[in-house]
Amino acid sequence: MAIERTLSIIKPDAVAKNVIGQIYARFEAAGLKVVAARMAHLSRGEAEAFYAVHKERPFFKDLVTFMISGPVMISALEGENAILKHRDLMGATDPKKATAGTIRADFADSIDANAVHGSDAVETAQVEIGFFFAGMNIYSR
Ligand code: RTP
Ligand code: MG
């Protein structure tokens, strides 16, 4: 199976709940390695640019407003089948529909405050990792 990288964001709600470590522990238990990380409080412009793919969607403004409501923890994760593995750990977008034991089932409050973001494909992972870590070291291991 291919070694992939994916972009993970622990969103403002989960950072505020002080569960960064608990979420990282789930990544590590699943065999995903943190190969880059930084904390940031995004500006509106940064959040709009990151979520540009959603800009025509009715939830765009709420999504951006939520994502700038507090600091986020941004990581690149590496491992076998990392993109799908990470999305399985996250659970469904709407925590009410998320399988028990997933990050969103356990830590998310609503479809907006849904604890985590994860890339959805190899191409988007590359773009998203570049968005936050361009010019920075990725500690592949
Ligand atoms: P993410 O990109 O954050 O990993 O989540 P996702 O793939 O599961 O969801 P996506 O469709 O890419 O949507 C991005 C984020 O927008 C918010 N959203 N709100 N109100 C709504 O109907 C709605 N739909 C999506 C969610 O916070 C979602 O994570
Ligand atoms: Mg998405």
Side-chain angles (χ1 to χ4, degrees), residues 38-78:
R38 72 183 180 97
M39 204 164 193
H41 193 149
L42 302 179
S43 67
R44 184 169 292 277
E46 283 174 312
E48 285 176 350
F50 180 73
Y51 281 116
V53 61
H54 293 309
K55 80 173 176 298
E56 304 304 332
R57 310 284 285 277
F59 57 80
F60 180 69
K61 188 146 192 239
D62 287 346
L63 171 61
V64 167
T65 299
F66 173 68
M67 288 300 286
I68 66 174
S69 65
V72 296
M73 186 72 204
I74 309 158
S75 314
L77 307 177
E78 186 179 82

Side-chain angles (χ1 to χ4, degrees), residues 7 9 11 50-51 53-54 57-60 62-64 66-67 86-87 90-95 104 110-120 128:
L7 192 275
I9 304 178
K11 294 186 178 185
F50 180 73
Y51 281 116
V53 61
H54 293 309
R57 310 284 285 277
F59 57 80
F60 180 69
D62 287 346
L63 171 61
V64 167
F66 173 68
M67 288 300 286
H86 181 225
R87 290 188 71 84
M90 293 198 300
T93 310
D94 181 353
R104 283 169 168 159
S110 68
I111 198 163
D112 291 310
N114 67 352
V116 278
H117 163 87
S119 308
D120 58 15
E128 292 180 357

Side-chain angles (χ1 to χ4, degrees), residues 17-31:
K17 284 181 181 164
N18 202 25
V19 293
I20 293 171
Q22 290 186 59
I23 292 173
Y24 269 9
R26 292 178 183 214
F27 298 157
E28 291 173 354

